[in-house]
Amino acid sequence: MAATMVAGIFFSVLLGNRLNSQFTDISRLSAEAVFARAEERATAERLTIARDLHDSLAKSIHGIRMLAESLDSSLGAENHPDAPLSHTLLEAADEASREARLVLDGLRSGGDEDIIGALVEEATRWGARTGLSVTVNRGDSDTPLPCSTEAMWQLQRILGEILANIERHAHATSVDLSIFHDDSCFRLDVRDNGIGFREDVKDLYREGHYGLAGLRERSETLNGAFSIDSPSEPTAGTRVRLRVPITSLHSASDKEKIV
């Protein structure tokens, strides 16, 4: 009798454990299915917005840029006194066009794309447009590094702002871009050979110059650390460093898989 009771208790506990395990699996699969459906809907919405922006805003910006380029060329050829102003207008149109392209690229991205390849492509395009020499060092590995749409967007904007600052203010002729990662950290280093900052970097942060506050805020959204080194010597250049935890590059579902 006692043996029968013990056996009954044992099988009840065993059955309970199995049921709990199955309920846990069902809950996890249900959550993953809900997340997948939400991701699918979000992707469809992003593509719809991207098409609308491309057919309206992006084309308008492109038209403005073409007019600005024509005006700049015409006034420059005539040595018109307003030629510098027209060139400033062209630079602003270029910047707006670049921003629009980044927005569209971010909306079209479905996530889990190679962040290293995307940043290298961004820097290469920038170098071709500005005529500055860009050297890329991505270490010994050519393995793609998957990245969520949100993190991809933030990192592209960070690099874009760094390169824009170099173009506007550094008077540099070359830029070195280094991208490395290991199991715990993603590292982005950008160094130029320009004139550097004449002001104290802490003052620039506080006063909001060169978009530095925005760069820091974007890095903080990725739980990252952002720093700038700019020696006072002429032509010493500026070095910008970004450190981001690898887990911050993944979407919520990917983080669950990693854990």
Side-chain angles (χ1 to χ4, degrees), residues 200-238:
D200 187 277
V201 173
K202 292 181 180 178
D203 293 335
L204 295 176
Y205 273 124
R206 185 168 52 252
E207 296 168 8
H209 291 305
Y210 307 112
L212 298 185
L215 287 172
R216 173 171 283 178
E217 289 169 2
R218 289 187 184 281
S219 67
E220 288 175 351
T221 64
L222 298 172
N223 301 312
F226 176 82
S227 65
I228 297 177
D229 295 322
S230 185
S232 57
E233 297 84 359
T235 71
T238 299

Side-chain angles (χ1 to χ4, degrees), residues 46 80 125 129 146 149 173 176 191 201 222 231 237-238 249:
R46 285 198 301 269
H80 194 280
R125 281 202 307 259
R129 181 178 62 80
T149 300
T173 59
D176 293 327
R191 185 195 297 268
V201 173
L222 298 172
T238 299
L249 302 186

Side-chain angles (χ1 to χ4, degrees), residues 18-33:
R18 287 184 176 179
L19 288 174
N20 285 334
S21 177
Q22 289 176 351
F23 282 135
T24 299
D25 289 341
I26 291 172
S27 298
R28 178 179 57 80
L29 291 173
S30 297
E32 290 179 356

Side-chain angles (χ1 to χ4, degrees), residues 54-130:
H54 178 269
D55 293 340
S56 56
L57 181 61
K59 287 186 176 180
S60 297
I61 292 175
H62 181 65
I64 292 171
R65 190 207 171 281
M66 290 181 64
L67 290 173
E69 184 176 20
S70 176
L71 178 64
D72 182 60
S73 177
S74 176
L75 294 183
E78 299 173 3
N79 292 320
H80 194 280
D82 289 333
L85 183 60
S86 69
H87 189 69
T88 300
L89 176 62
L90 176 59
E91 289 180 339
D94 273 335
E95 179 68 11
S97 179
R98 185 185 67 83
E99 292 283 347
R101 185 170 60 250
L102 278 177
V103 171
L104 290 174
D105 288 346
L107 288 170
R108 288 166 177 157
S109 171
D112 293 332
E113 296 188 7
D114 176 24
I115 181 58
I116 297 179
L119 295 180
V120 169
E121 182 180 353
E122 173 76 12
T124 302
R125 281 202 307 259
W126 176 84
R129 181 178 62 80
T130 61

